Amino acid sequence: MTAQSGHSPHALEALMNPRSVAVIGASEDQTKFGGRLYRMLLHHGYEGTVYPINPGRDTLFGLKTHASLQALPAAPDMVVLALPRDKVKDQIAAAAERGAKGGIIITAKFSDAGPEGAAIEREIVEIARAKGMRLIGPNCLGLISAANRVVLCSSPVLERKPLPLSPIGLVSQSGALMATLFDRAWDRGIGFTHGVSVGNQADIELCDVVDYLIADPRTRVICTYIEGIKDAERFVRTARKARAAGKPWLAVKAGRTEAGSKAAFSHTASIAGSHDVLAAVCRDEGVTLLDDPNAMILLAAELARVGERPVRRIGIFTTSGGGGALAADAVSAHGLELARFTATTEAAFADWYSPGQAQNPVDVGGRKSEAKADLARATVAALLDDANTDGLLLPITTAPDVPGLCAQIADGVQGERGGKPAFVVMEPGKAGDGGRAKLVEGGVTYTDTLGEAVEALTAWATRAPAADAAQAPARPGDIPGQAPAAAATLNESDSKALLAQYGVPVGADLTAASVEQAVQHARSLGYPVVMKIVSPDVVHKSDAGGVRLDIQDDEAVAAAWRRIHDDVRKAVPQARIDGISIQNQARGKLELIVGARRDPQFGPVVVVGAGGILVELLPTPLILRAPAAPEAVKRLLQTLPVWPILAGYRGTPLAVDAVVDAIVRASWLAADLGSQDFEFDINPLIVAADRCVAVDARIRIGNTEETSA
Ligand code: ADP
Ligand code: MG
C-alpha cells in the first residue's frame, strides 16, 4: 500500500529527496534569506547538484552560478526561493517551464495577508500544477531533512552540525515553531528524519507530508503542529493510514480557546466548540493530541525508542523526598497510577535502602551506607524489570555528583530489556548541565519540567489501543428515509415530533388555548402534569418563568395557567403566546443533554453530557461523529462523569441500552440534517431505571431568523 524505498516512489519523493536543487537569489550575503539558505544547504553536506542562481556572480562559495533558471544545464528537481512577493509568480512559471518537479516558496504575504494575496497564491499554484510541479508554502520556513541530508531552510538554528537523526518526522504549520522545536530537541539528543514547514499549504498540505512520513521507512513516529485542518476527510483517511502502518501520530493543535460561543439557541454549540470536535475525531482515529509541543517531542522520542505499549502504572525514581512527592502528586492528579512493586523488587530494595525509602517513589538519597556503588543504575534497572511497573518518571533535583548519577540512569534505562518508557526530569538549572550531557551521551532524553514529562506520560496512557476497524454504522430500519430539508426553527412540540419519527422516545404533549382546555388535557393525560409556555419568542422557557412542574389537580392547573402568563409577560413583554403545553410528568434519576450540530469541518456530530441544570457545571461532553454506532456510544458514555449514576452506583442501574438507542437515533437525524447548517438539543433526556424520555427539545434547520429570550 505505501511506497517503500525500492518500490514506486512517493509522490513527494522529488521534493523531499531531490537530486538537484536550484537556489534562486543565492548569494554570500548572510543578511538575506537566499544567502543563508544557500549556505545552509552546503553547510549540511547536501550530496546532490546545487545550482546557485544569481545573474551578477560567476561563482558563489566555489560553485558555478547560473544567470537564470532557463540557463540551467538540466531541469532541477527542486527550486527554492525567498524573493519579494511580486517576483514569485514569474520565477515559479519559469521553474515549471524548465521542468522543475517541486518548489519551496519562503516568501510571505499571500493568502496569509488577505484576499489579494490569496488570489495570486491560487494563480501560482495553477501555473505550477499545470506543468506537474508541486509547491511547499508560501509563507514557510522550508524543509530540514536529516535523513536525506537536504536542508532548505535559513534558520540560524542550523548553524550547528551534524543534524541529529531520530526516527521522528515533523510537519508544522508554523515555520518558527519547527525551527524552535528542532533546536530544543537537539539539546536533548533528539533529531528528526524530516521536518517540513508547510506554511499556507497552498498546494502541499500537512496530510501530504504525513503521508510521505507514513511511507518513509526511517520514520517511526509522526509529530505535527496544526493550526487549521484543510480537508477533514483527508485528515481522517490519513490518520487511518498512519494507524494501519503502526506509526503513532501526535499533534498539537492551536486554537483551543476559540470554542463556539453561539449559546443563544442551543447548549450544544456552547459546550462543544470546533476544537472539541477535532479532539473527538483525533481520539477516535488514534491521533494523540497534546497541549505542549515539547511534551509532544518528548513523547515521540520515547515512543520511537520503546515502541507502542500500554502505560498506566508509574514507578518514580528520585533524588529527594520533595521531588518524589511532587511527581507522585502529578501522576495521581492525571489519572495515572503509582505502581506497587512486586515482592522481588521490594526485597532487593530492602537490602539497598533504609526502611521507608524503598517504596514508590524511591529516593536514591535514602540508601544504606553500605549500598553498592552503582545503586542508581541497579535501582532503575530493577524498576524497569518490575512486572507491576509500566513506565518510569525520574525527577532529578540537585544532588551530589549529578553527572555520575545521570550516567548510571542512562545505563539503567538503556540496559533494560522490557522496552518501557522512562522520562527523566532535570529540575536543577546550570547545576544539572553535566547530568544533561551524560544523559544525551547515554542515548537517553530528558525534559527540564515535570509538567512536560507528565503530559507526555498522560498522553501515552490515553493512547487508544490499536484500531477497532472503523465500520459504518447500520441505519435502523424503522426510521424515515430523509429528514425535512426546509429551513425552520421548530418549537418544542414540533421538535419532539421529528425526534419521535426517528424513534427517540418523547413525552406526550398537548397544547391548550384556554384554561378550560388545559384542565381537560391534564385530566386526559392523568396527573401529575407539567405546564409550559408555547411561544416563538421564548427559547429558554424556565428562565422566563414559563415552566411549572408537579401540577396535581384542576385548581393547580388554573393557578399555573395564570402564573405562567404573568411571569412570561414580565420577563419577555413582547412575547407572542401560542398557548400552554400540558405534558405528563416524567420521573427519572438523571437528566442528560443529547445535542447535535453541523461542524463546519467534520460535518454532523452528536454531543452528550449531563443535562438539566448540570449542563454548564460539567462541561465535559462527549462528541461523536454522526451517525454513531451503538458500541461507540456505549463506550463513550462510560467516560462521562455521570456514568456511575447510569451504571447504578448506590442504587438500581438506569436504562443504559435505551439511552444508547436514543442517542444512536438522534445521531441518524443529525446525519440526515448534516448537509445543511443545523443544531438541536434534547434537554433533558430524563433517564429512569426502565426507560428514557425526551421532555424538551429544539431544532434549528438551516439559517433561519434567530428567536431569543
Ligand atoms: P427550558 O429548557 O426551555 O427551560 P424545559 O422544558 O427543559 O424548559 O423544562 C425545564 C426543566 O423542567 C427540565 O430541565 C426538566 O427538569 C423539567 N421538565 C420539563 N418537562 C418535564 C416533563 N415533562 N417531565 C418532567 N420534568 C420536566
Ligand atoms: Mg430544556
Side-chain angles (χ1 to χ4, degrees), residues 36-47 144-146 148-153 155-164 186:
R36 289 201 301 274
L37 238 153
Y38 175 57
R39 188 169 61 80
M40 287 304 180
L41 180 61
L42 304 180
H43 181 64
H44 286 281
Y46 174 58
E47 286 161 344
I144 308 169
S145 170
N148 296 336
R149 298 183 72 174
V150 182
V151 172
L152 297 172
C153 176
S155 172
V157 162
L158 297 161
E159 290 296 348
R160 287 199 247 179
K161 71 176 188 184
L163 281 165
W186 203 326

PDB file of all heavy atoms in Angstrom, residues 36-47 144-146 148-153 155-164 186:
ATOM      1  N   ARG A  36      21.464  32.931   3.190  1.00  0.00           N
ATOM      2  CA  ARG A  36      21.520  31.973   4.306  1.00  0.00           C
ATOM      3  C   ARG A  36      21.096  30.579   3.843  1.00  0.00           C
ATOM      4  O   ARG A  36      21.709  29.571   4.191  1.00  0.00           O
ATOM      5  CB  ARG A  36      20.615  32.440   5.448  1.00  0.00           C
ATOM      6  CG  ARG A  36      21.141  33.657   6.179  1.00  0.00           C
ATOM      7  CD  ARG A  36      20.524  33.777   7.565  1.00  0.00           C
ATOM      8  NE  ARG A  36      19.070  33.883   7.546  1.00  0.00           N
ATOM      9  CZ  ARG A  36      18.409  35.028   7.404  1.00  0.00           C
ATOM     10  NH1 ARG A  36      19.068  36.168   7.253  1.00  0.00           N
ATOM     11  NH2 ARG A  36      17.090  35.050   7.410  1.00  0.00           N
ATOM     12  N   LEU A  37      20.015  30.544   3.063  1.00  0.00           N
ATOM     13  CA  LEU A  37      19.516  29.257   2.579  1.00  0.00           C
ATOM     14  C   LEU A  37      20.582  28.485   1.802  1.00  0.00           C
ATOM     15  O   LEU A  37      20.800  27.286   1.999  1.00  0.00           O
ATOM     16  CB  LEU A  37      18.349  29.544   1.628  1.00  0.00           C
ATOM     17  CG  LEU A  37      17.035  28.925   1.997  1.00  0.00           C
ATOM     18  CD1 LEU A  37      15.890  29.743   1.464  1.00  0.00           C
ATOM     19  CD2 LEU A  37      16.960  27.516   1.497  1.00  0.00           C
ATOM     20  N   TYR A  38      21.233  29.240   0.927  1.00  0.00           N
ATOM     21  CA  TYR A  38      22.262  28.641   0.067  1.00  0.00           C
ATOM     22  C   TYR A  38      23.395  28.084   0.922  1.00  0.00           C
ATOM     23  O   TYR A  38      23.848  26.948   0.742  1.00  0.00           O
ATOM     24  CB  TYR A  38      22.762  29.707  -0.913  1.00  0.00           C
ATOM     25  CG  TYR A  38      23.905  29.267  -1.785  1.00  0.00           C
ATOM     26  CD1 TYR A  38      23.785  28.148  -2.607  1.00  0.00           C
ATOM     27  CD2 TYR A  38      25.106  29.983  -1.794  1.00  0.00           C
ATOM     28  CE1 TYR A  38      24.843  27.746  -3.409  1.00  0.00           C
ATOM     29  CE2 TYR A  38      26.160  29.585  -2.590  1.00  0.00           C
ATOM     30  CZ  TYR A  38      26.029  28.458  -3.392  1.00  0.00           C
ATOM     31  OH  TYR A  38      27.077  28.057  -4.178  1.00  0.00           O
ATOM     32  N   ARG A  39      23.827  28.880   1.906  1.00  0.00           N
ATOM     33  CA  ARG A  39      24.945  28.417   2.726  1.00  0.00           C
ATOM     34  C   ARG A  39      24.545  27.197   3.572  1.00  0.00           C
ATOM     35  O   ARG A  39      25.317  26.245   3.735  1.00  0.00           O
ATOM     36  CB  ARG A  39      25.455  29.535   3.635  1.00  0.00           C
ATOM     37  CG  ARG A  39      26.754  29.150   4.360  1.00  0.00           C
ATOM     38  CD  ARG A  39      27.409  30.330   5.040  1.00  0.00           C
ATOM     39  NE  ARG A  39      26.565  30.921   6.052  1.00  0.00           N
ATOM     40  CZ  ARG A  39      26.413  30.431   7.288  1.00  0.00           C
ATOM     41  NH1 ARG A  39      27.066  29.344   7.663  1.00  0.00           N
ATOM     42  NH2 ARG A  39      25.615  31.023   8.144  1.00  0.00           N
ATOM     43  N   MET A  40      23.337  27.206   4.113  1.00  0.00           N
ATOM     44  CA  MET A  40      22.893  26.079   4.946  1.00  0.00           C
ATOM     45  C   MET A  40      22.841  24.769   4.150  1.00  0.00           C
ATOM     46  O   MET A  40      23.150  23.704   4.665  1.00  0.00           O
ATOM     47  CB  MET A  40      21.500  26.351   5.533  1.00  0.00           C
ATOM     48  CG  MET A  40      21.482  27.371   6.639  1.00  0.00           C
ATOM     49  SD  MET A  40      22.599  26.951   7.999  1.00  0.00           S
ATOM     50  CE  MET A  40      22.294  28.366   9.066  1.00  0.00           C
ATOM     51  N   LEU A  41      22.451  24.881   2.905  1.00  0.00           N
ATOM     52  CA  LEU A  41      22.374  23.685   2.061  1.00  0.00           C
ATOM     53  C   LEU A  41      23.760  23.057   1.931  1.00  0.00           C
ATOM     54  O   LEU A  41      23.937  21.839   2.096  1.00  0.00           O
ATOM     55  CB  LEU A  41      21.810  24.070   0.688  1.00  0.00           C
ATOM     56  CG  LEU A  41      21.639  22.955  -0.344  1.00  0.00           C
ATOM     57  CD1 LEU A  41      20.679  21.887   0.155  1.00  0.00           C
ATOM     58  CD2 LEU A  41      21.123  23.529  -1.663  1.00  0.00           C
ATOM     59  N   LEU A  42      24.770  23.918   1.686  1.00  0.00           N
ATOM     60  CA  LEU A  42      26.148  23.416   1.554  1.00  0.00           C
ATOM     61  C   LEU A  42      26.682  22.959   2.910  1.00  0.00           C
ATOM     62  O   LEU A  42      27.326  21.913   3.030  1.00  0.00           O
ATOM     63  CB  LEU A  42      27.052  24.513   0.989  1.00  0.00           C
ATOM     64  CG  LEU A  42      26.620  25.114  -0.361  1.00  0.00           C
ATOM     65  CD1 LEU A  42      27.622  26.189  -0.801  1.00  0.00           C
ATOM     66  CD2 LEU A  42      26.486  24.035  -1.432  1.00  0.00           C
ATOM     67  N   HIS A  43      26.385  23.752   3.943  1.00  0.00           N
ATOM     68  CA  HIS A  43      26.869  23.518   5.304  1.00  0.00           C
ATOM     69  C   HIS A  43      26.501  22.109   5.790  1.00  0.00           C
ATOM     70  O   HIS A  43      27.272  21.462   6.489  1.00  0.00           O
ATOM     71  CB  HIS A  43      26.226  24.591   6.191  1.00  0.00           C
ATOM     72  CG  HIS A  43      26.598  24.557   7.635  1.00  0.00           C
ATOM     73  ND1 HIS A  43      27.876  24.777   8.073  1.00  0.00           N
ATOM     74  CD2 HIS A  43      25.843  24.365   8.747  1.00  0.00           C
ATOM     75  CE1 HIS A  43      27.893  24.717   9.406  1.00  0.00           C
ATOM     76  NE2 HIS A  43      26.673  24.464   9.834  1.00  0.00           N
ATOM     77  N   HIS A  44      25.323  21.634   5.416  1.00  0.00           N
ATOM     78  CA  HIS A  44      24.884  20.329   5.915  1.00  0.00           C
ATOM     79  C   HIS A  44      25.169  19.189   4.946  1.00  0.00           C
ATOM     80  O   HIS A  44      24.621  18.092   5.080  1.00  0.00           O
ATOM     81  CB  HIS A  44      23.403  20.383   6.308  1.00  0.00           C
ATOM     82  CG  HIS A  44      23.206  21.140   7.586  1.00  0.00           C
ATOM     83  ND1 HIS A  44      23.434  20.596   8.825  1.00  0.00           N
ATOM     84  CD2 HIS A  44      22.871  22.427   7.810  1.00  0.00           C
ATOM     85  CE1 HIS A  44      23.235  21.503   9.772  1.00  0.00           C
ATOM     86  NE2 HIS A  44      22.885  22.630   9.176  1.00  0.00           N
ATOM     87  N   GLY A  45      26.032  19.477   3.978  1.00  0.00           N
ATOM     88  CA  GLY A  45      26.564  18.373   3.176  1.00  0.00           C
ATOM     89  C   GLY A  45      25.587  17.763   2.195  1.00  0.00           C
ATOM     90  O   GLY A  45      25.608  16.547   1.970  1.00  0.00           O
ATOM     91  N   TYR A  46      24.762  18.583   1.576  1.00  0.00           N
ATOM     92  CA  TYR A  46      23.854  18.059   0.546  1.00  0.00           C
ATOM     93  C   TYR A  46      24.674  17.363  -0.539  1.00  0.00           C
ATOM     94  O   TYR A  46      25.683  17.879  -1.010  1.00  0.00           O
ATOM     95  CB  TYR A  46      23.039  19.222  -0.042  1.00  0.00           C
ATOM     96  CG  TYR A  46      22.168  18.832  -1.207  1.00  0.00           C
ATOM     97  CD1 TYR A  46      21.194  17.842  -1.074  1.00  0.00           C
ATOM     98  CD2 TYR A  46      22.320  19.450  -2.447  1.00  0.00           C
ATOM     99  CE1 TYR A  46      20.385  17.484  -2.143  1.00  0.00           C
ATOM    100  CE2 TYR A  46      21.514  19.101  -3.523  1.00  0.00           C
ATOM    101  CZ  TYR A  46      20.552  18.106  -3.367  1.00  0.00           C
ATOM    102  OH  TYR A  46      19.760  17.751  -4.423  1.00  0.00           O
ATOM    103  N   GLU A  47      24.232  16.179  -0.941  1.00  0.00           N
ATOM    104  CA  GLU A  47      25.036  15.382  -1.865  1.00  0.00           C
ATOM    105  C   GLU A  47      24.614  15.498  -3.325  1.00  0.00           C
ATOM    106  O   GLU A  47      25.294  15.008  -4.214  1.00  0.00           O
ATOM    107  CB  GLU A  47      25.005  13.905  -1.435  1.00  0.00           C
ATOM    108  CG  GLU A  47      25.867  13.685  -0.188  1.00  0.00           C
ATOM    109  CD  GLU A  47      25.532  12.389   0.543  1.00  0.00           C
ATOM    110  OE1 GLU A  47      24.454  11.802   0.288  1.00  0.00           O
ATOM    111  OE2 GLU A  47      26.352  11.979   1.377  1.00  0.00           O
ATOM    112  N   ILE A 144      13.815  20.605   6.382  1.00  0.00           N
ATOM    113  CA  ILE A 144      15.066  20.157   7.007  1.00  0.00           C
ATOM    114  C   ILE A 144      15.005  18.635   7.048  1.00  0.00           C
ATOM    115  O   ILE A 144      14.251  18.066   7.838  1.00  0.00           O
ATOM    116  CB  ILE A 144      15.202  20.679   8.458  1.00  0.00           C
ATOM    117  CG1 ILE A 144      15.000  22.196   8.530  1.00  0.00           C
ATOM    118  CG2 ILE A 144      16.557  20.282   9.050  1.00  0.00           C
ATOM    119  CD1 ILE A 144      14.858  22.729   9.959  1.00  0.00           C
ATOM    120  N   SER A 145      15.748  17.990   6.186  1.00  0.00           N
ATOM    121  CA  SER A 145      15.711  16.535   6.174  1.00  0.00           C
ATOM    122  C   SER A 145      17.081  15.975   6.519  1.00  0.00           C
ATOM    123  O   SER A 145      17.986  15.943   5.688  1.00  0.00           O
ATOM    124  CB  SER A 145      15.254  16.020   4.813  1.00  0.00           C
ATOM    125  OG  SER A 145      15.454  14.623   4.759  1.00  0.00           O
ATOM    126  N   ALA A 146      17.216  15.551   7.767  1.00  0.00           N
ATOM    127  CA  ALA A 146      18.477  14.936   8.178  1.00  0.00           C
ATOM    128  C   ALA A 146      18.648  13.592   7.477  1.00  0.00           C
ATOM    129  O   ALA A 146      19.756  13.213   7.104  1.00  0.00           O
ATOM    130  CB  ALA A 146      18.504  14.757   9.689  1.00  0.00           C
ATOM    131  N   ASN A 148      17.729  12.686   4.522  1.00  0.00           N
ATOM    132  CA  ASN A 148      18.170  12.830   3.132  1.00  0.00           C
ATOM    133  C   ASN A 148      19.304  13.849   2.976  1.00  0.00           C
ATOM    134  O   ASN A 148      19.735  14.111   1.858  1.00  0.00           O
ATOM    135  CB  ASN A 148      16.987  13.246   2.250  1.00  0.00           C
ATOM    136  CG  ASN A 148      15.904  12.175   2.206  1.00  0.00           C
ATOM    137  OD1 ASN A 148      16.188  10.997   2.431  1.00  0.00           O
ATOM    138  ND2 ASN A 148      14.680  12.576   1.953  1.00  0.00           N
ATOM    139  N   ARG A 149      19.745  14.419   4.082  1.00  0.00           N
ATOM    140  CA  ARG A 149      20.764  15.473   4.095  1.00  0.00           C
ATOM    141  C   ARG A 149      20.390  16.624   3.164  1.00  0.00           C
ATOM    142  O   ARG A 149      21.215  17.136   2.415  1.00  0.00           O
ATOM    143  CB  ARG A 149      22.135  14.903   3.727  1.00  0.00           C
ATOM    144  CG  ARG A 149      22.562  13.869   4.764  1.00  0.00           C
ATOM    145  CD  ARG A 149      23.914  13.318   4.520  1.00  0.00           C
ATOM    146  NE  ARG A 149      24.970  14.286   4.807  1.00  0.00           N
ATOM    147  CZ  ARG A 149      26.261  13.961   4.765  1.00  0.00           C
ATOM    148  NH1 ARG A 149      26.623  12.733   4.444  1.00  0.00           N
ATOM    149  NH2 ARG A 149      27.171  14.865   5.025  1.00  0.00           N
ATOM    150  N   VAL A 150      19.129  17.006   3.232  1.00  0.00           N
ATOM    151  CA  VAL A 150      18.659  18.149   2.462  1.00  0.00           C
ATOM    152  C   VAL A 150      18.194  19.217   3.438  1.00  0.00           C
ATOM    153  O   VAL A 150      17.258  18.984   4.198  1.00  0.00           O
ATOM    154  CB  VAL A 150      17.470  17.766   1.559  1.00  0.00           C
ATOM    155  CG1 VAL A 150      17.040  18.974   0.731  1.00  0.00           C
ATOM    156  CG2 VAL A 150      17.823  16.602   0.668  1.00  0.00           C
ATOM    157  N   VAL A 151      18.866  20.351   3.436  1.00  0.00           N
ATOM    158  CA  VAL A 151      18.442  21.453   4.285  1.00  0.00           C
ATOM    159  C   VAL A 151      18.089  22.624   3.389  1.00  0.00           C
ATOM    160  O   VAL A 151      18.962  23.216   2.749  1.00  0.00           O
ATOM    161  CB  VAL A 151      19.545  21.829   5.299  1.00  0.00           C
ATOM    162  CG1 VAL A 151      19.170  23.109   6.036  1.00  0.00           C
ATOM    163  CG2 VAL A 151      19.749  20.686   6.290  1.00  0.00           C
ATOM    164  N   LEU A 152      16.806  22.920   3.305  1.00  0.00           N
ATOM    165  CA  LEU A 152      16.341  24.053   2.514  1.00  0.00           C
ATOM    166  C   LEU A 152      15.604  24.973   3.464  1.00  0.00           C
ATOM    167  O   LEU A 152      14.388  25.127   3.425  1.00  0.00           O
ATOM    168  CB  LEU A 152      15.440  23.574   1.374  1.00  0.00           C
ATOM    169  CG  LEU A 152      16.163  22.673   0.361  1.00  0.00           C
ATOM    170  CD1 LEU A 152      15.197  22.058  -0.628  1.00  0.00           C
ATOM    171  CD2 LEU A 152      17.253  23.461  -0.374  1.00  0.00           C
ATOM    172  N   CYS A 153      16.386  25.551   4.357  1.00  0.00           N
ATOM    173  CA  CYS A 153      15.826  26.346   5.441  1.00  0.00           C
ATOM    174  C   CYS A 153      16.923  27.279   5.918  1.00  0.00           C
ATOM    175  O   CYS A 153      18.085  26.882   5.985  1.00  0.00           O
ATOM    176  CB  CYS A 153      15.383  25.415   6.574  1.00  0.00           C
ATOM    177  SG  CYS A 153      14.782  26.258   8.039  1.00  0.00           S
ATOM    178  N   SER A 155      17.071  28.953   8.874  1.00  0.00           N
ATOM    179  CA  SER A 155      17.075  29.253  10.307  1.00  0.00           C
ATOM    180  C   SER A 155      18.475  29.175  10.918  1.00  0.00           C
ATOM    181  O   SER A 155      19.232  28.240  10.665  1.00  0.00           O
ATOM    182  CB  SER A 155      16.158  28.286  11.049  1.00  0.00           C
ATOM    183  OG  SER A 155      16.316  28.468  12.439  1.00  0.00           O
ATOM    184  N   PRO A 156      18.808  30.156  11.758  1.00  0.00           N
ATOM    185  CA  PRO A 156      20.105  30.143  12.447  1.00  0.00           C
ATOM    186  C   PRO A 156      20.286  28.927  13.354  1.00  0.00           C
ATOM    187  O   PRO A 156      21.414  28.573  13.711  1.00  0.00           O
ATOM    188  CB  PRO A 156      20.095  31.437  13.267  1.00  0.00           C
ATOM    189  CG  PRO A 156      18.708  31.969  13.215  1.00  0.00           C
ATOM    190  CD  PRO A 156      18.020  31.359  12.050  1.00  0.00           C
ATOM    191  N   VAL A 157      19.193  28.276  13.689  1.00  0.00           N
ATOM    192  CA  VAL A 157      19.261  27.035  14.469  1.00  0.00           C
ATOM    193  C   VAL A 157      20.182  26.028  13.787  1.00  0.00           C
ATOM    194  O   VAL A 157      20.807  25.178  14.422  1.00  0.00           O
ATOM    195  CB  VAL A 157      17.827  26.461  14.588  1.00  0.00           C
ATOM    196  CG1 VAL A 157      17.836  25.004  14.975  1.00  0.00           C
ATOM    197  CG2 VAL A 157      17.003  27.280  15.559  1.00  0.00           C
ATOM    198  N   LEU A 158      20.298  26.161  12.461  1.00  0.00           N
ATOM    199  CA  LEU A 158      21.018  25.155  11.681  1.00  0.00           C
ATOM    200  C   LEU A 158      22.511  25.423  11.579  1.00  0.00           C
ATOM    201  O   LEU A 158      23.215  24.720  10.856  1.00  0.00           O
ATOM    202  CB  LEU A 158      20.401  25.063  10.281  1.00  0.00           C
ATOM    203  CG  LEU A 158      18.943  24.587  10.319  1.00  0.00           C
ATOM    204  CD1 LEU A 158      18.220  24.928   9.035  1.00  0.00           C
ATOM    205  CD2 LEU A 158      18.885  23.091  10.591  1.00  0.00           C
ATOM    206  N   GLU A 159      23.004  26.431  12.298  1.00  0.00           N
ATOM    207  CA  GLU A 159      24.457  26.654  12.317  1.00  0.00           C
ATOM    208  C   GLU A 159      25.186  25.427  12.849  1.00  0.00           C
ATOM    209  O   GLU A 159      26.249  25.052  12.401  1.00  0.00           O
ATOM    210  CB  GLU A 159      24.812  27.867  13.179  1.00  0.00           C
ATOM    211  CG  GLU A 159      24.391  29.212  12.602  1.00  0.00           C
ATOM    212  CD  GLU A 159      25.103  29.563  11.292  1.00  0.00           C
ATOM    213  OE1 GLU A 159      26.094  28.890  10.930  1.00  0.00           O
ATOM    214  OE2 GLU A 159      24.633  30.502  10.617  1.00  0.00           O
ATOM    215  N   ARG A 160      24.627  24.799  13.892  1.00  0.00           N
ATOM    216  CA  ARG A 160      25.237  23.603  14.462  1.00  0.00           C
ATOM    217  C   ARG A 160      25.202  22.479  13.441  1.00  0.00           C
ATOM    218  O   ARG A 160      24.310  22.420  12.610  1.00  0.00           O
ATOM    219  CB  ARG A 160      24.386  23.094  15.626  1.00  0.00           C
ATOM    220  CG  ARG A 160      24.426  23.874  16.854  1.00  0.00           C
ATOM    221  CD  ARG A 160      23.912  22.950  17.965  1.00  0.00           C
ATOM    222  NE  ARG A 160      22.643  23.407  18.502  1.00  0.00           N
ATOM    223  CZ  ARG A 160      21.978  22.762  19.462  1.00  0.00           C
ATOM    224  NH1 ARG A 160      22.438  21.629  19.953  1.00  0.00           N
ATOM    225  NH2 ARG A 160      20.848  23.223  19.915  1.00  0.00           N
ATOM    226  N   LYS A 161      26.123  21.552  13.567  1.00  0.00           N
ATOM    227  CA  LYS A 161      26.018  20.320  12.786  1.00  0.00           C
ATOM    228  C   LYS A 161      26.882  19.243  13.415  1.00  0.00           C
ATOM    229  O   LYS A 161      27.730  19.563  14.228  1.00  0.00           O
ATOM    230  CB  LYS A 161      26.390  20.577  11.322  1.00  0.00           C
ATOM    231  CG  LYS A 161      27.866  20.856  11.050  1.00  0.00           C
ATOM    232  CD  LYS A 161      28.075  20.988   9.551  1.00  0.00           C
ATOM    233  CE  LYS A 161      29.547  21.063   9.215  1.00  0.00           C
ATOM    234  NZ  LYS A 161      29.786  21.274   7.790  1.00  0.00           N
ATOM    235  N   PRO A 162      26.692  17.982  13.091  1.00  0.00           N
ATOM    236  CA  PRO A 162      25.687  17.475  12.155  1.00  0.00           C
ATOM    237  C   PRO A 162      24.307  17.417  12.790  1.00  0.00           C
ATOM    238  O   PRO A 162      24.185  17.368  14.014  1.00  0.00           O
ATOM    239  CB  PRO A 162      26.201  16.064  11.874  1.00  0.00           C
ATOM    240  CG  PRO A 162      26.870  15.656  13.143  1.00  0.00           C
ATOM    241  CD  PRO A 162      27.485  16.904  13.705  1.00  0.00           C
ATOM    242  N   LEU A 163      23.305  17.410  11.941  1.00  0.00           N
ATOM    243  CA  LEU A 163      21.933  17.272  12.415  1.00  0.00           C
ATOM    244  C   LEU A 163      21.750  15.918  13.071  1.00  0.00           C
ATOM    245  O   LEU A 163      22.143  14.901  12.506  1.00  0.00           O
ATOM    246  CB  LEU A 163      20.978  17.340  11.225  1.00  0.00           C
ATOM    247  CG  LEU A 163      20.649  18.702  10.638  1.00  0.00           C
ATOM    248  CD1 LEU A 163      19.998  18.516   9.274  1.00  0.00           C
ATOM    249  CD2 LEU A 163      19.728  19.479  11.557  1.00  0.00           C
ATOM    250  N   PRO A 164      21.170  15.889  14.279  1.00  0.00           N
ATOM    251  CA  PRO A 164      20.878  14.576  14.869  1.00  0.00           C
ATOM    252  C   PRO A 164      19.750  13.901  14.090  1.00  0.00           C
ATOM    253  O   PRO A 164      18.952  14.580  13.449  1.00  0.00           O
ATOM    254  CB  PRO A 164      20.437  14.910  16.291  1.00  0.00           C
ATOM    255  CG  PRO A 164      19.977  16.320  16.237  1.00  0.00           C
ATOM    256  CD  PRO A 164      20.681  16.995  15.092  1.00  0.00           C
ATOM    257  N   TRP A 186      17.242  19.110  19.802  1.00  0.00           N
ATOM    258  CA  TRP A 186      18.670  18.893  19.548  1.00  0.00           C
ATOM    259  C   TRP A 186      19.443  18.852  20.862  1.00  0.00           C
ATOM    260  O   TRP A 186      20.258  17.956  21.096  1.00  0.00           O
ATOM    261  CB  TRP A 186      19.163  20.045  18.664  1.00  0.00           C
ATOM    262  CG  TRP A 186      20.394  19.784  17.864  1.00  0.00           C
ATOM    263  CD1 TRP A 186      21.460  19.021  18.217  1.00  0.00           C
ATOM    264  CD2 TRP A 186      20.681  20.325  16.566  1.00  0.00           C
ATOM    265  NE1 TRP A 186      22.404  19.056  17.211  1.00  0.00           N
ATOM    266  CE2 TRP A 186      21.946  19.847  16.200  1.00  0.00           C
ATOM    267  CE3 TRP A 186      19.990  21.176  15.697  1.00  0.00           C
ATOM    268  CZ2 TRP A 186      22.546  20.200  14.984  1.00  0.00           C
ATOM    269  CZ3 TRP A 186      20.583  21.518  14.504  1.00  0.00           C
ATOM    270  CH2 TRP A 186      21.852  21.034  14.145  1.00  0.00           C
TER     271      TRP A 186
END
